[in-house]
Amino acid sequence: MSVSFTIAARAGEARAGLCRTPHGDFETPAFMPVGTLGAVKAVTPDDLRGIGATIVLANAYHLVLRPGVEVVRAVGGLHRFMAWDGPILSDSGGYQVFSLGPLVKVTDEEVRFRSHIDGSEHHLSPERAVEIQADLGVDISMALDHCPAGDAPDQVHRAALARTERWARRCLEARRPGQALFGIAQGGTDVALRRAQIDALAALPFDGYALGGFAVGEPRAQTHATIQAVAPSLPSDRPRYLMGMGTPEDIVAAAAAGVDMFDCVMPTRGARHGLLFTSRGKLNVGNARYAADPSPADPACRCATCAAFSLAYLRHLYKSGELLWHRLATIHNLAFYLALMRRLRSAIVEGRTLYSPWGES
């Protein structure tokens, strides 16, 4: 396999591991900053390296629409295109396609959809999804899955599971030599359906396994309960990935259930809207109480933003619409998330349970 995984320590169901890829290793639990279009919004690859990021996520659906996979391939692949030399995982685009609603037509053969950018028509089959990700040159590709809404009727979830399993087999048949591929288990919050699909996918030779289709409309408490019930059923010798769900509380709960990899737009999207994650909890920088505050956003944080800038200055940048705000806030929020991963790993190695995502970062 082009991706290998070893477990260094356990604490209950939680695992601390090491994943090796063609572009380097990353320790788990791992958070992947989201670079949907080949860029983590507002920051450079050097910024990411400086705060300790070891793997990033890109999205095949968006890159196909713009600039086009042919462009990325022509300049040497996605690593060269975005000047990131570490591991990259790409989402196949299944979630994005199915979130388009009336713009999508699904058959067992493929998905036909219209671009949200210009209305042009595209098609995506399991074979095409694997081909696109191979052409992008990413380290970890994702199988194409069918992701229904969390509150969809039972028969819709059952049909999606059957289609996801058929597509998983086609993705495996289409992958190129050396291409690492993760399978995705659906099933909503029905534990029996989730476990049935996990059992079916575990019999297939994927390099890792993901839980998809969470945080799509179902109650959060129900989501956590389902993850805790099914994550330990995923193959124990492969990486386990919870897709697109990532409040700090989500990550701590899922890591305790044995999940290894996470991604979420929350730290970058929150930064754009004035939200900072700190060891004291969430902070809305637009609050008037920070107008003359000389302290850093988080005294416990060691990122470049907290080392140099006061809350008063950060609030000024945000309220003034200065572009620098986006960079400084994104650096801080991602640094908080990556520090949380290190705290989780240390707790697992030491045999402790990390109950809170807050505290010293």
Side-chain angles (χ1 to χ4, degrees), residues 20-38:
R20 298 185 180 277
T21 82
H23 285 88
D25 305 341
F26 62 91
E27 293 183 332
T28 64
F31 181 80
M32 299 178 284
V34 175
T36 299
L37 290 164

Side-chain angles (χ1 to χ4, degrees), residues 245-300:
M245 185 178 167
T247 68
E249 294 90 346
D250 291 338
I251 289 173
V252 168
V259 175
D260 307 300
M261 297 168 61
F262 304 88
D263 81 279
C264 188
V265 298
M266 187 164 291
T268 48
R269 181 176 291 169
R272 298 195 296 278
H273 295 284
L275 176 66
L276 296 175
F277 293 89
T278 78
S279 60
R280 296 168 291 184
K282 298 174 186 176
L283 182 156
N284 184 344
V285 78
N287 195 309
R289 65 188 286 192
Y290 303 121
D293 193 327
S295 61
D298 188 352

